[in-house]
Coordinates of all heavy atoms in Angstrom, one line a residue:
M256 N 0.8 -1.2 0.0 CA 0.0 0.0 0.0 C 0.9 1.2 0.0 O 1.8 1.4 0.8 CB -0.9 0.0 1.2 CG -1.8 1.2 1.4 SD -2.7 1.1 2.9 CE -4.3 1.5 2.2
T257 N 0.6 2.1 -0.9 CA 1.4 3.4 -1.0 C 0.7 4.5 -0.3 O -0.5 4.7 -0.5 CB 1.6 3.7 -2.5 OG1 2.3 2.6 -3.1 CG2 2.5 4.9 -2.7
E258 N 1.5 5.3 0.4 CA 0.9 6.4 1.1 C 0.5 7.5 0.1 O 1.1 7.5 -1.0 CB 1.9 7.0 2.1 CG 2.2 6.2 3.3 CD 3.2 6.8 4.2 OE1 3.0 8.0 4.5 OE2 4.1 6.1 4.6
E259 N -0.5 8.3 0.4 CA -1.0 9.4 -0.5 C 0.2 10.3 -0.9 O 1.0 10.7 -0.1 CB -2.1 10.2 0.2 CG -2.7 11.2 -0.8 CD -3.8 11.9 -0.1 OE1 -4.5 11.4 0.8 OE2 -4.1 13.0 -0.5
G260 N 0.3 10.5 -2.2 CA 1.3 11.4 -2.8 C 2.6 10.7 -3.1 O 3.5 11.3 -3.6
Y261 N 2.7 9.4 -2.8 CA 4.0 8.7 -3.0 C 3.8 7.8 -4.3 O 2.8 7.4 -4.6 CB 4.3 7.8 -1.8 CG 4.9 8.5 -0.6 CD1 4.0 9.2 0.3 CD2 6.2 8.5 -0.4 CE1 4.5 9.8 1.4 CE2 6.8 9.2 0.7 CZ 5.9 9.8 1.6 OH 6.4 10.5 2.7
T262 N 4.9 7.7 -4.9 CA 5.1 6.7 -6.0 C 5.9 5.6 -5.5 O 6.8 5.8 -4.7 CB 5.7 7.4 -7.3 OG1 4.9 8.5 -7.6 CG2 5.8 6.5 -8.4
A263 N 5.7 4.4 -6.0 CA 6.5 3.2 -5.5 C 7.0 2.4 -6.7 O 6.4 2.3 -7.8 CB 5.6 2.4 -4.6
F264 N 8.1 1.7 -6.4 CA 8.6 0.6 -7.3 C 9.2 -0.4 -6.5 O 9.5 -0.2 -5.3 CB 9.5 1.2 -8.4 CG 10.8 1.8 -7.8 CD1 11.9 1.0 -7.6 CD2 10.9 3.2 -7.6 CE1 13.1 1.6 -7.1 CE2 12.1 3.7 -7.1 CZ 13.2 2.9 -6.9
T265 N 9.4 -1.6 -7.1 CA 10.0 -2.7 -6.4 C 11.4 -2.8 -6.9 O 11.7 -2.8 -8.1 CB 9.3 -4.0 -6.7 OG1 7.9 -3.9 -6.2 CG2 9.9 -5.2 -6.0
L266 N 12.4 -2.9 -5.9 CA 13.8 -3.1 -6.2 C 14.2 -4.4 -5.8 O 14.0 -4.8 -4.6 CB 14.6 -2.0 -5.5 CG 16.1 -2.0 -5.6 CD1 16.5 -1.7 -7.1 CD2 16.7 -1.1 -4.7
H267 N 14.8 -5.2 -6.7 CA 15.4 -6.5 -6.3 C 16.9 -6.2 -6.2 O 17.6 -6.0 -7.2 CB 15.1 -7.5 -7.4 CG 13.6 -7.7 -7.6 ND1 12.9 -8.5 -6.7 CD2 12.8 -7.3 -8.5 CE1 11.6 -8.5 -7.0 NE2 11.5 -7.7 -8.1
W268 N 17.4 -6.3 -4.9 CA 18.8 -6.1 -4.6 C 19.3 -7.3 -3.9 O 18.8 -7.7 -2.9 CB 18.9 -4.8 -3.7 CG 20.3 -4.5 -3.3 CD1 21.3 -3.9 -4.0 CD2 20.9 -4.8 -2.0 NE1 22.4 -3.8 -3.3 CE2 22.2 -4.4 -2.0 CE3 20.4 -5.5 -0.8 CZ2 23.0 -4.5 -1.0 CZ3 21.2 -5.6 0.2 CH2 22.5 -5.1 0.2
Q269 N 20.4 -7.9 -4.5 CA 20.9 -9.1 -4.0 C 19.8 -10.1 -3.9 O 19.1 -10.3 -4.8 CB 21.7 -8.9 -2.7 CG 23.0 -8.1 -3.0 CD 23.9 -7.9 -1.8 OE1 23.7 -8.6 -0.7 NE2 24.9 -7.1 -1.9
D270 N 19.5 -10.7 -2.7 CA 18.4 -11.7 -2.5 C 17.2 -11.0 -1.9 O 16.4 -11.8 -1.4 CB 18.9 -12.9 -1.7 CG 19.9 -13.7 -2.4 OD1 19.9 -13.7 -3.6 OD2 20.8 -14.3 -1.7
F271 N 17.1 -9.7 -1.9 CA 16.1 -9.0 -1.2 C 15.1 -8.3 -2.1 O 15.5 -7.8 -3.1 CB 16.7 -8.0 -0.2 CG 17.6 -8.6 0.8 CD1 19.0 -8.7 0.5 CD2 17.2 -9.1 2.0 CE1 19.9 -9.3 1.4 CE2 18.0 -9.7 2.9 CZ 19.4 -9.8 2.6
T272 N 13.9 -8.3 -1.8 CA 12.8 -7.6 -2.5 C 12.5 -6.4 -1.6 O 12.0 -6.5 -0.5 CB 11.6 -8.4 -2.8 OG1 12.0 -9.6 -3.6 CG2 10.6 -7.6 -3.5
I273 N 12.7 -5.2 -2.2 CA 12.5 -3.9 -1.4 C 11.5 -3.1 -2.1 O 11.6 -2.8 -3.3 CB 13.8 -3.2 -1.3 CG1 14.9 -4.1 -0.7 CG2 13.7 -1.9 -0.5 CD1 16.3 -3.6 -0.9
T274 N 10.5 -2.6 -1.4 CA 9.6 -1.6 -1.9 C 10.2 -0.2 -1.6 O 10.5 0.1 -0.5 CB 8.2 -1.7 -1.3 OG1 7.7 -3.0 -1.6 CG2 7.2 -0.6 -1.8
V275 N 10.3 0.6 -2.7 CA 10.8 1.9 -2.5 C 9.7 2.9 -2.8 O 9.1 2.9 -3.9 CB 12.0 2.2 -3.5 CG1 12.5 3.6 -3.3 CG2 13.2 1.2 -3.2
E276 N 9.3 3.7 -1.9 CA 8.3 4.7 -2.1 C 9.0 6.1 -2.1 O 9.9 6.3 -1.2 CB 7.3 4.7 -1.0 CG 6.5 3.4 -0.9 CD 5.6 3.3 0.2 OE1 5.7 4.1 1.2 OE2 4.7 2.4 0.2
Y277 N 8.6 7.0 -2.9 CA 9.2 8.3 -3.0 C 8.2 9.4 -3.3 O 7.2 9.2 -3.9 CB 10.4 8.3 -4.0 CG 9.9 8.1 -5.4 CD1 9.6 9.2 -6.2 CD2 9.9 6.8 -5.9 CE1 9.3 8.9 -7.5 CE2 9.5 6.6 -7.2 CZ 9.2 7.7 -8.0 OH 8.8 7.5 -9.3
Q278 N 8.6 10.6 -2.8 CA 7.7 11.8 -3.0 C 8.7 13.0 -3.1 O 9.5 13.2 -2.3 CB 6.7 12.0 -1.9 CG 5.8 13.2 -2.1 CD 4.8 13.3 -1.0 OE1 5.2 13.8 0.1 NE2 3.6 12.8 -1.1
A279 N 8.5 13.8 -4.2 CA 9.3 15.0 -4.4 C 8.7 16.1 -3.5 O 7.5 16.1 -3.2 CB 9.3 15.4 -5.8
N280 N 9.5 17.0 -3.1 CA 9.1 18.2 -2.3 C 8.2 17.8 -1.2 O 7.1 18.4 -1.0 CB 8.5 19.2 -3.2 CG 8.5 20.6 -2.6 OD1 9.2 20.9 -1.7 ND2 7.6 21.4 -3.0
W281 N 8.6 16.8 -0.4 CA 7.9 16.3 0.7 C 7.5 17.5 1.7 O 8.4 18.2 2.1 CB 8.6 15.2 1.4 CG 8.0 14.6 2.6 CD1 7.0 13.7 2.6 CD2 8.2 14.9 4.0 NE1 6.6 13.4 3.8 CE2 7.4 14.1 4.7 CE3 9.1 15.7 4.6 CZ2 7.4 14.1 6.1 CZ3 9.1 15.7 6.0 CH2 8.3 14.9 6.7
L282 N 6.2 17.7 1.9 CA 5.7 18.7 2.8 C 6.3 20.1 2.5 O 6.6 20.9 3.4 CB 5.9 18.4 4.3 CG 5.2 17.1 4.8 CD1 5.6 16.9 6.3 CD2 3.7 17.2 4.7
N283 N 6.5 20.4 1.2 CA 7.1 21.6 0.7 C 8.4 21.9 1.4 O 8.8 23.1 1.6 CB 6.1 22.8 1.0 CG 4.8 22.6 0.2 OD1 4.9 22.3 -1.0 ND2 3.7 22.9 0.8
S284 N 9.2 20.9 1.7 CA 10.4 21.0 2.3 C 11.6 21.2 1.4 O 12.7 21.5 1.8 CB 10.7 19.8 3.2 OG 10.9 18.6 2.3
G285 N 11.4 21.0 0.1 CA 12.5 21.1 -0.8 C 13.3 19.8 -0.9 O 14.4 19.8 -1.4
H286 N 12.8 18.8 -0.3 CA 13.5 17.5 -0.2 C 12.6 16.4 -0.8 O 11.4 16.4 -0.6 CB 13.9 17.2 1.2 CG 15.0 18.0 1.7 ND1 14.9 19.3 2.2 CD2 16.4 17.7 1.8 CE1 16.0 19.8 2.5 NE2 16.9 18.9 2.3
W287 N 13.3 15.4 -1.3 CA 12.6 14.1 -1.6 C 12.5 13.3 -0.3 O 13.5 13.4 0.5 CB 13.5 13.3 -2.6 CG 13.5 13.8 -4.0 CD1 14.4 14.7 -4.5 CD2 12.7 13.3 -5.1 NE1 14.2 14.9 -5.9 CE2 13.1 14.0 -6.2 CE3 11.7 12.4 -5.2 CZ2 12.6 13.8 -7.5 CZ3 11.1 12.2 -6.5 CH2 11.6 12.9 -7.6
H288 N 11.5 12.6 -0.2 CA 11.4 11.6 0.9 C 11.3 10.3 0.3 O 10.4 10.0 -0.5 CB 10.1 11.9 1.8 CG 10.0 10.9 2.9 ND1 8.9 10.4 3.3 CD2 11.0 10.5 3.8 CE1 9.1 9.6 4.4 NE2 10.4 9.6 4.7
L289 N 12.3 9.4 0.7 CA 12.3 8.0 0.2 C 12.1 7.1 1.4 O 12.6 7.4 2.5 CB 13.7 7.7 -0.4 CG 14.3 8.6 -1.4 CD1 15.7 8.1 -1.8 CD2 13.4 8.8 -2.6
Q290 N 11.3 6.1 1.1 CA 11.1 5.1 2.2 C 11.4 3.7 1.6 O 11.0 3.3 0.5 CB 9.6 5.0 2.6 CG 9.2 6.4 3.2 CD 7.7 6.3 3.7 OE1 7.5 6.1 4.8 NE2 6.8 6.5 2.7
L291 N 12.3 3.0 2.3 CA 12.6 1.6 1.9 C 11.9 0.7 2.9 O 11.9 0.8 4.1 CB 14.1 1.4 2.0 CG 15.1 2.4 1.4 CD1 16.5 1.9 1.6 CD2 14.7 2.6 -0.1
R292 N 11.2 -0.4 2.3 CA 10.5 -1.3 3.1 C 10.9 -2.7 2.6 O 10.8 -3.0 1.4 CB 9.0 -1.1 3.0 CG 8.5 0.2 3.5 CD 7.0 0.3 3.2 NE 6.5 1.7 3.5 CZ 6.2 2.2 4.7 NH1 6.2 1.4 5.7 NH2 5.8 3.4 4.8
C293 N 11.2 -3.6 3.6 CA 11.6 -4.9 3.3 C 11.2 -5.8 4.4 O 11.2 -5.4 5.6 CB 13.1 -5.0 3.0 SG 13.7 -6.7 2.5
D294 N 10.8 -7.1 4.1 CA 10.4 -8.0 5.2 C 11.6 -8.5 6.0 O 11.4 -9.2 7.0 CB 9.6 -9.2 4.6 CG 8.3 -8.8 4.1 OD1 7.8 -7.7 4.5 OD2 7.8 -9.5 3.2
E295 N 12.8 -8.1 5.6 CA 14.0 -8.6 6.2 C 14.9 -7.4 6.6 O 14.8 -6.3 6.0 CB 14.8 -9.6 5.4 CG 14.0 -10.8 5.0 CD 14.8 -11.8 4.2 OE1 15.9 -12.2 4.7 OE2 14.4 -12.1 3.1
R296 N 15.9 -7.7 7.4 CA 16.9 -6.7 7.7 C 17.7 -6.4 6.5 O 17.9 -7.2 5.6 CB 17.9 -7.3 8.8 CG 19.0 -6.5 9.2 CD 19.9 -7.2 10.2 NE 21.0 -6.4 10.5 CZ 22.0 -6.8 11.3 NH1 21.9 -7.9 11.9 NH2 23.0 -6.0 11.5
L297 N 18.1 -5.1 6.4 CA 18.9 -4.6 5.3 C 20.2 -4.0 5.9 O 20.2 -3.7 7.1 CB 18.2 -3.6 4.5 CG 16.9 -4.0 3.7 CD1 16.2 -2.8 3.1 CD2 17.3 -5.0 2.6
P298 N 21.2 -3.8 5.1 CA 22.4 -3.2 5.6 C 22.3 -1.8 6.2 O 23.1 -1.3 6.9 CB 23.4 -3.2 4.5 CG 22.6 -3.3 3.3 CD 21.4 -4.1 3.7
V299 N 21.1 -1.1 5.8 CA 20.9 0.3 6.3 C 19.8 0.3 7.4 O 19.5 1.4 7.9 CB 20.5 1.2 5.2 CG1 21.7 1.3 4.2 CG2 19.2 0.7 4.4
T300 N 19.3 -0.9 7.8 CA 18.2 -0.9 8.8 C 18.0 -2.3 9.3 O 18.0 -3.3 8.6 CB 16.9 -0.4 8.3 OG1 15.9 -0.6 9.3 CG2 16.4 -1.1 7.0
E301 N 17.9 -2.4 10.6 CA 17.7 -3.7 11.2 C 16.2 -4.1 11.2 O 15.9 -5.3 11.3 CB 18.2 -3.8 12.7 CG 19.7 -3.7 12.8 CD 20.2 -3.8 14.2 OE1 19.5 -4.2 15.1 OE2 21.4 -3.5 14.4
T302 N 15.3 -3.1 11.0 CA 13.9 -3.4 11.0 C 13.3 -3.7 9.7 O 12.2 -4.1 9.6 CB 13.2 -2.2 11.7 OG1 13.3 -1.1 10.8 CG2 13.6 -1.9 13.1
G303 N 14.0 -3.3 8.6 CA 13.5 -3.5 7.3 C 12.8 -2.2 6.7 O 12.3 -2.1 5.6
Y304 N 12.8 -1.1 7.6 CA 12.3 0.2 7.1 C 13.3 1.2 7.3 O 14.0 1.3 8.3 CB 11.1 0.5 8.0 CG 10.6 1.9 7.7 CD1 9.8 2.2 6.6 CD2 10.9 3.0 8.4 CE1 9.3 3.4 6.2 CE2 10.5 4.3 8.1 CZ 9.7 4.5 7.0 OH 9.3 5.8 6.7
R305 N 13.4 2.1 6.3 CA 14.4 3.2 6.4 C 13.7 4.4 5.7 O 13.2 4.3 4.6 CB 15.7 2.8 5.7 CG 16.7 3.9 5.7 CD 17.2 4.1 7.1 NE 18.3 5.1 7.1 CZ 19.2 5.2 8.0 NH1 19.2 4.3 9.0 NH2 20.1 6.2 8.0
S306 N 13.8 5.5 6.3 CA 13.3 6.8 5.8 C 14.5 7.7 5.4 O 15.4 7.8 6.3 CB 12.5 7.5 6.8 OG 12.1 8.8 6.4
I307 N 14.6 8.2 4.2 CA 15.7 9.0 3.8 C 15.2 10.3 3.2 O 14.3 10.3 2.4 CB 16.5 8.2 2.7 CG1 16.9 6.8 3.1 CG2 17.7 9.0 2.3 CD1 17.3 5.9 2.0
F308 N 15.9 11.4 3.5 CA 15.6 12.7 3.0 C 16.8 13.2 2.1 O 17.9 13.1 2.6 CB 15.3 13.7 4.1 CG 14.0 13.4 4.8 CD1 14.1 12.6 6.0 CD2 12.8 13.8 4.4 CE1 12.9 12.3 6.7 CE2 11.7 13.5 5.1 CZ 11.7 12.7 6.2
V309 N 16.5 13.6 0.9 CA 17.5 14.0 -0.1 C 17.1 15.3 -0.7 O 15.9 15.5 -1.0 CB 17.7 12.9 -1.2 CG1 18.8 13.2 -2.1 CG2 17.9 11.5 -0.5
P310 N 18.1 16.2 -0.9 CA 17.7 17.5 -1.5 C 17.0 17.3 -2.8 O 17.4 16.4 -3.6 CB 19.1 18.2 -1.7 CG 19.9 17.6 -0.6 CD 19.5 16.2 -0.5
E311 N 16.0 18.1 -3.1 CA 15.1 17.9 -4.2 C 15.8 17.9 -5.6 O 15.4 17.1 -6.5 CB 14.0 19.0 -4.3 CG 12.9 18.6 -5.2 CD 11.7 19.5 -5.1 OE1 11.8 20.6 -4.5 OE2 10.6 19.1 -5.6
A312 N 16.9 18.6 -5.7 CA 17.6 18.7 -7.0 C 18.4 17.4 -7.3 O 19.0 17.3 -8.4 CB 18.5 19.9 -7.1
S313 N 18.4 16.4 -6.4 CA 19.2 15.2 -6.6 C 18.8 14.3 -7.7 O 19.6 13.6 -8.2 CB 19.2 14.5 -5.3 OG 19.8 15.3 -4.3
F314 N 17.5 14.3 -8.0 CA 17.0 13.3 -9.0 C 16.2 13.9 -10.1 O 15.4 14.8 -9.9 CB 16.0 12.2 -8.3 CG 16.6 11.6 -7.0 CD1 16.0 11.8 -5.8 CD2 17.8 10.9 -7.1 CE1 16.5 11.2 -4.7 CE2 18.3 10.3 -6.0 CZ 17.7 10.5 -4.7
A315 N 16.4 13.3 -11.3 CA 15.6 13.8 -12.4 C 14.4 12.8 -12.7 O 13.4 13.2 -13.3 CB 16.5 13.9 -13.7
D316 N 14.6 11.5 -12.3 CA 13.6 10.6 -12.6 C 13.7 9.3 -11.7 O 14.7 9.2 -10.9 CB 13.6 10.2 -14.1 CG 14.9 9.6 -14.6 OD1 15.7 9.1 -13.8 OD2 15.2 9.7 -15.8
E317 N 12.8 8.4 -11.9 CA 12.9 7.2 -11.1 C 14.1 6.4 -11.3 O 14.6 5.7 -10.4 CB 11.6 6.3 -11.4 CG 11.5 5.1 -10.5 CD 10.2 4.3 -10.8 OE1 9.1 4.9 -10.6 OE2 10.3 3.2 -11.2
D318 N 14.7 6.4 -12.5 CA 16.0 5.6 -12.7 C 17.1 6.1 -11.8 O 17.9 5.4 -11.3 CB 16.4 5.7 -14.2 CG 15.5 4.9 -15.1 OD1 14.8 3.9 -14.6 OD2 15.5 5.2 -16.3
E319 N 17.1 7.4 -11.6 CA 18.1 8.0 -10.7 C 17.9 7.7 -9.3 O 18.8 7.5 -8.5 CB 18.2 9.5 -10.9 CG 18.8 9.9 -12.3 CD 19.0 11.4 -12.5 OE1 18.8 12.2 -11.5 OE2 19.4 11.8 -13.6
I320 N 16.6 7.6 -8.9 CA 16.3 7.1 -7.5 C 16.7 5.7 -7.3 O 17.3 5.3 -6.3 CB 14.8 7.3 -7.2 CG1 14.4 8.8 -7.3 CG2 14.4 6.7 -5.9 CD1 12.9 9.1 -7.2
R321 N 16.4 4.9 -8.3 CA 16.8 3.4 -8.3 C 18.3 3.3 -8.1 O 18.8 2.5 -7.3 CB 16.3 2.8 -9.6 CG 16.4 1.3 -9.6 CD 15.9 0.7 -10.9 NE 14.4 0.9 -11.0 CZ 13.5 0.1 -10.5 NH1 13.9 -1.0 -9.9 NH2 12.2 0.3 -10.6
A322 N 19.1 4.1 -8.9 CA 20.5 4.0 -8.9 C 21.0 4.5 -7.5 O 22.0 3.9 -6.9 CB 21.1 4.9 -10.0
F323 N 20.4 5.6 -7.0 CA 20.8 6.1 -5.7 C 20.6 5.0 -4.6 O 21.5 4.8 -3.8 CB 20.0 7.3 -5.3 CG 20.2 7.8 -3.9 CD1 21.3 8.6 -3.6 CD2 19.3 7.5 -2.9 CE1 21.4 9.1 -2.3 CE2 19.4 7.9 -1.6 CZ 20.5 8.7 -1.3
V324 N 19.4 4.4 -4.6 CA 19.1 3.4 -3.5 C 20.1 2.2 -3.7 O 20.6 1.7 -2.7 CB 17.7 3.0 -3.6 CG1 17.4 1.8 -2.6 CG2 16.8 4.2 -3.2
T325 N 20.3 1.8 -4.9 CA 21.2 0.6 -5.1 C 22.6 1.0 -4.6 O 23.3 0.1 -3.9 CB 21.2 0.2 -6.6 OG1 19.9 -0.1 -7.0 CG2 22.2 -0.9 -6.8
T326 N 23.1 2.1 -4.9 CA 24.5 2.5 -4.5 C 24.5 2.7 -2.9 O 25.5 2.2 -2.3 CB 24.9 3.9 -5.1 OG1 24.9 3.7 -6.5 CG2 26.2 4.3 -4.6
Y327 N 23.5 3.2 -2.4 CA 23.3 3.4 -0.9 C 23.4 2.0 -0.2 O 24.2 1.8 0.7 CB 22.0 4.1 -0.6 CG 21.7 4.3 0.8 CD1 22.5 5.1 1.6 CD2 20.5 3.8 1.4 CE1 22.1 5.4 3.0 CE2 20.1 4.1 2.7 CZ 20.9 4.9 3.5 OH 20.6 5.1 4.8
L328 N 22.7 1.0 -0.8 CA 22.7 -0.3 -0.2 C 24.1 -1.0 -0.4 O 24.6 -1.7 0.5 CB 21.6 -1.2 -0.8 CG 20.2 -0.7 -0.4 CD1 19.1 -1.4 -1.3 CD2 19.9 -1.0 1.1
D329 N 24.6 -0.9 -1.6 CA 25.9 -1.5 -2.0 C 27.0 -1.0 -1.0 O 27.8 -1.8 -0.5 CB 26.3 -1.2 -3.4 CG 25.5 -2.0 -4.4 OD1 24.8 -3.0 -4.0 OD2 25.5 -1.6 -5.6
E330 N 27.0 0.3 -0.8 CA 28.0 0.9 0.1 C 27.9 0.4 1.5 O 28.8 0.0 2.2 CB 28.0 2.4 0.0 CG 28.6 2.9 -1.3 CD 28.5 4.4 -1.4 OE1 28.0 5.1 -0.5 OE2 28.9 4.9 -2.5
A331 N 26.6 0.4 2.0 CA 26.4 -0.1 3.4 C 26.7 -1.6 3.5 O 27.1 -2.0 4.6 CB 24.9 0.2 3.8
A332 N 26.5 -2.3 2.5 CA 26.7 -3.8 2.5 C 28.2 -4.1 2.7 O 28.5 -5.3 2.9 CB 26.2 -4.4 1.3
Q333 N 29.1 -3.2 2.5 CA 30.5 -3.4 2.7 C 30.9 -3.5 4.2 O 32.0 -3.9 4.5 CB 31.3 -2.4 2.0 CG 31.1 -2.3 0.5 CD 31.3 -3.6 -0.2 OE1 32.3 -4.2 0.0 NE2 30.3 -4.0 -1.0
S334 N 30.0 -3.1 5.1 CA 30.4 -3.1 6.5 C 30.6 -4.5 7.0 O 30.1 -5.5 6.6 CB 29.3 -2.4 7.3 OG 28.2 -3.3 7.5
K335 N 31.5 -4.6 8.0 CA 31.8 -5.9 8.7 C 30.5 -6.4 9.3 O 30.3 -7.6 9.3 CB 32.9 -5.7 9.7 CG 34.3 -5.5 9.1 CD 35.3 -5.3 10.1 CE 36.7 -5.0 9.5 NZ 37.7 -4.9 10.4
A336 N 29.7 -5.6 9.9 CA 28.5 -6.0 10.6 C 27.6 -6.7 9.6 O 27.0 -7.7 9.9 CB 27.8 -4.8 11.3
W337 N 27.4 -6.1 8.4 CA 26.5 -6.7 7.4 C 27.1 -8.0 6.9 O 26.4 -9.0 6.7 CB 26.3 -5.7 6.2 CG 25.4 -6.3 5.2 CD1 25.7 -6.7 4.0 CD2 24.0 -6.6 5.4 NE1 24.6 -7.2 3.3 CE2 23.5 -7.2 4.2 CE3 23.1 -6.4 6.4 CZ2 22.2 -7.6 4.0 CZ3 21.8 -6.8 6.2 CH2 21.3 -7.4 5.0
Q338 N 28.4 -8.1 6.7 CA 29.0 -9.3 6.2 C 28.9 -10.4 7.2 O 28.6 -11.6 6.9 CB 30.5 -9.1 5.9 CG 30.7 -8.1 4.7 CD 30.1 -8.6 3.4 OE1 30.2 -9.8 3.1 NE2 29.4 -7.7 2.7
A339 N 29.0 -10.1 8.5 CA 28.8 -11.0 9.6 C 27.3 -11.5 9.6 O 27.0 -12.7 9.8 CB 29.2 -10.4 10.9
H340 N 26.4 -10.6 9.4 CA 25.0 -10.9 9.4 C 24.7 -11.9 8.2 O 24.0 -12.9 8.4 CB 24.1 -9.7 9.2 CG 22.7 -10.0 8.9 ND1 21.8 -10.5 9.8 CD2 22.0 -9.8 7.7 CE1 20.6 -10.7 9.2 NE2 20.7 -10.3 7.9
L341 N 25.3 -11.7 7.1 CA 25.1 -12.6 5.9 C 25.6 -13.9 6.2 O 25.0 -15.0 5.9 CB 25.7 -12.0 4.6 CG 25.0 -10.7 4.1 CD1 25.8 -10.3 2.8 CD2 23.5 -11.0 3.7
E342 N 26.8 -14.0 6.8 CA 27.4 -15.3 7.2 C 26.5 -16.0 8.2 O 26.3 -17.2 8.0 CB 28.8 -15.1 7.8 CG 29.5 -16.3 8.0 CD 29.8 -17.2 6.8 OE1 29.9 -16.6 5.7 OE2 29.8 -18.4 6.9
D343 N 26.0 -15.3 9.2 CA 25.1 -15.9 10.2 C 23.8 -16.4 9.5 O 23.3 -17.5 9.9 CB 24.7 -14.9 11.3 CG 25.9 -14.7 12.3 OD1 26.9 -15.4 12.2 OD2 25.8 -13.7 13.0
R344 N 23.4 -15.7 8.6 CA 22.1 -16.0 7.8 C 22.3 -17.3 7.1 O 21.4 -18.1 6.9 CB 21.8 -14.9 6.9 CG 20.4 -14.9 6.3 CD 20.2 -13.6 5.6 NE 19.0 -13.6 4.9 CZ 18.9 -13.4 3.6 NH1 20.0 -13.1 2.8 NH2 17.7 -13.5 3.0
R345 N 23.5 -17.5 6.5 CA 23.8 -18.7 5.8 C 24.0 -20.0 6.7 O 23.8 -21.1 6.2 CB 25.1 -18.5 4.9 CG 24.9 -17.7 3.7 CD 26.1 -17.7 2.8 NE 27.1 -16.7 3.1 CZ 27.1 -15.4 2.8 NH1 26.0 -14.9 2.2 NH2 28.1 -14.6 3.1
Q346 N 24.4 -19.7 7.9 CA 24.7 -20.8 8.8 C 23.5 -21.3 9.5 O 22.7 -20.5 9.9 CB 25.8 -20.4 9.8 CG 27.1 -20.0 9.2 CD 27.8 -21.2 8.6 OE1 27.7 -22.3 9.2 NE2 28.5 -21.0 7.5
M347 N 23.3 -22.5 9.7 CA 22.2 -23.1 10.5 C 22.6 -22.9 12.0 O 23.7 -23.2 12.4 CB 22.0 -24.5 10.2 CG 20.8 -25.1 11.0 SD 20.6 -26.8 10.6 CE 19.7 -26.7 9.0
K348 N 21.7 -22.3 12.7 CA 21.9 -22.0 14.2 C 21.1 -23.1 15.0 O 19.9 -23.3 14.7 CB 21.4 -20.6 14.5 CG 22.1 -19.5 13.8 CD 23.4 -19.2 14.5 CE 24.0 -18.0 13.9 NZ 25.2 -17.6 14.6
L349 N 21.8 -23.6 16.0 CA 21.1 -24.5 16.9 C 20.5 -23.8 18.1 O 19.5 -24.3 18.7 CB 22.1 -25.6 17.4 CG 22.6 -26.5 16.4 CD1 23.6 -27.5 17.0 CD2 21.5 -27.3 15.7
F350 N 21.0 -22.6 18.4 CA 20.5 -21.9 19.6 C 20.3 -20.4 19.2 O 21.0 -19.9 18.5 CB 21.5 -22.0 20.8 CG 21.8 -23.4 21.2 CD1 22.9 -24.1 20.8 CD2 20.9 -24.0 22.0 CE1 23.1 -25.4 21.1 CE2 21.1 -25.3 22.4 CZ 22.3 -26.0 21.9

């Protein structure tokens, strides 16, 4: 479900399906508001939800938003914490 005034698309990043909702000039603030929603933890959020504010002049179209979010996730995925999470996710846990 998309909030009023937002446009959404689905982003497939690595093994994750992420809904990206965005709105230009959010509340006349001069900023884009982006929301990432996923049923699983992501490298930028442990809950699967992330809200991002970006200056309005940053994007010309949805392709640029898609590229921004992908780069944002790719960079965050380089952290040791995320790499450890992925390793734990691959391993079967007894406790």
